[in-house]
């Protein structure tokens, strides 16, 4: 039985033949042999069809091997898939999760160690990020493990953020009120002291006037 790697290699072989026939077709056309160019072009198209079919079989084989439990909708492993294939499988899984009201989905995109150019060559992850952005879905990178994306379908993050914001605003308002009360105290206290001083001065003046009046009568 052919392995997923065998099927992928078969697809690549058909892809090489397609490129070969298409290049030969261009050369024949350049020489003015339109008949030969047409025949080579048709062969190239046939190889292209075989290539797509082989890639489809390879993708199915990779997906089934890496996702052995079809009833578990909480995890999807995209190892072995090409970008287009990964997008198709992920889109389908997101739709199923929404229908089944699944709370979280772990998407395993891999660390990119086997991609062209290593981690810099990862192409699947940006494509998945774009899908999630289009659907306005939040995810946590490298959770629960490195090379994973933990997607949340519920609104816990939004609620938490809103609650935190409300709490923060309440604290700010309370602090503002306390500051205002303190400022009012700073303003009112000197006025009270000045009023008390004025009252004392008036009392002293009256006492002096009484004594002066008493001395005059004598």
């Amino acid at each position: 039985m052919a392995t997923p790697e065998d099927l992928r290699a078969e697809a690549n072989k058909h892809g090489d033949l397609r490129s070969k026939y298409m290049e030969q077709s261009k050369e024949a056309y350049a020489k003015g042999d339109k008949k030969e160019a047409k025949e080579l072009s048709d062969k190239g198209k046939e190889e292209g069809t075989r290539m797509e079919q082989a890639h489809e079989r390879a993708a199915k084989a990779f997906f089934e091997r890496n996702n052995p439990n079809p009833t578990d909708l909480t995890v999807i492993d995209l190892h072995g898939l090409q970008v287009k294939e990964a997008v198709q499988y992920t889109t389908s899984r997101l739709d199923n999760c929404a229908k089944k009201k699944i709370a979280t989905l772990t998407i395993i995109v891999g660390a990119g160690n086997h991609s062209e150019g290593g981690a810099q060559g990862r192409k699947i992850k940006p494509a998945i990020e774009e899908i999630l952005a289009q659907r306005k879905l939040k995810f946590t990178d490298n959770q629960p493990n490195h090379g994973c994306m933990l997607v949340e379908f519920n609104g816990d993050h939004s609620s938490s953020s809103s609650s935190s914001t409300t709490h923060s605003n309440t604290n700010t308002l309370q602090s503002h009120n306390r500051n205002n009360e303190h400022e009012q105290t700073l303003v009112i206290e000197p006025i009270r002291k000045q009023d008390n001083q004025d009252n004392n001065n008036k009392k002293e003046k009256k006492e002096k006037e009484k004594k002066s009046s008493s001395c005059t009568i004598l």
Side-chain angles (χ1 to χ4, degrees):
M1 183 177 179
T3 65
E5 289 80 7
D6 293 336
L7 294 173
R8 190 67 81 191
E10 179 186 346
N12 292 333
K13 180 181 178 180
H14 289 301
D16 292 340
L17 288 174
R18 181 194 62 173
S19 298
K20 177 183 176 181
Y21 286 132
M22 287 303 182
E23 186 61 30
Q24 291 177 347
S25 175
K26 290 180 181 179
E27 293 175 357
Y29 187 85
K31 293 178 181 179
D33 192 343
K34 294 183 179 180
K35 181 180 179 180
E36 180 69 10
K38 179 66 167 57
E39 292 176 355
L40 290 168
S41 176
D42 289 341
K43 287 183 179 181
K45 292 178 181 178
E46 290 176 1
E47 291 298 331
T49 300
R50 295 191 182 101
M51 177 194 70
E52 292 177 359
Q53 293 172 345
H55 275 311
E56 186 176 347
R57 291 195 299 271
K60 186 174 183 294
F62 272 116
F63 187 81
E64 291 179 349
R65 185 176 71 181
N66 296 325
N67 300 272
N69 186 2
T71 62
D72 184 6
L73 300 180
T74 63
V75 180
I76 181 171
D77 191 337
L78 305 179
H79 275 102
L81 302 182
Q82 296 183 344
V83 175
K84 181 180 178 181
E85 299 163 352
V87 168
Q88 292 174 341
Y89 278 98
T90 301
T91 299
S92 177
R93 177 59 60 87
L94 291 173
D95 290 339
N96 287 334
C97 286
K99 292 178 182 178
K100 300 292 184 179
K101 296 183 179 180
I102 302 298
T104 63
L105 170 64
T106 298
I107 303 177
I108 304 175
V109 296
N113 297 326
H114 301 290
S115 302
E116 181 181 355
Q120 297 298 324
R122 284 190 299 178
K123 297 180 179 179
I124 289 180
K125 185 179 179 181
I128 301 304
E129 289 177 341
E130 184 176 352
I131 295 174
L132 298 178
Q134 291 173 352
R135 293 176 177 238
K136 298 181 179 180
L137 292 174
K138 296 182 178 181
F139 72 91
T140 304
D141 201 13
N142 291 320
Q143 288 293 332
N145 297 304
H146 184 62
C148 298
M149 303 167 70
L150 181 61
V151 182
E152 298 190 43
F153 295 94
N154 53 41
D156 287 348
H157 274 328
S158 297
S159 298
S160 175
S161 175
S162 176
S163 176
S164 176
T165 301
T166 301
H167 182 66
S168 176
N169 288 340
T170 300
N171 288 340
T172 301
L173 181 59
Q174 291 175 345
S175 176
H176 179 69
N177 290 337
R178 285 195 298 268
N179 290 337
N180 283 343
E181 291 173 358
H182 180 65
E183 290 175 359
Q184 290 174 0
T185 301
L186 293 176
V187 173
I188 293 173
E189 192 61 30
I191 295 175
R192 287 175 177 172
K193 290 182 179 180
Q194 183 63 43
D195 289 342
N196 291 334
Q197 184 64 38
D198 291 343
N199 290 332
N200 291 334
N201 291 338
K202 288 180 180 180
K203 288 181 180 179
E204 290 178 359
K205 185 177 180 181
K206 288 182 179 180
E207 290 293 333
K208 289 180 179 179
E209 289 177 350
K210 286 182 179 181
K211 290 181 179 180
S212 175
S213 174
S214 175
C215 291
T216 304
I217 296 173
L218 290 173

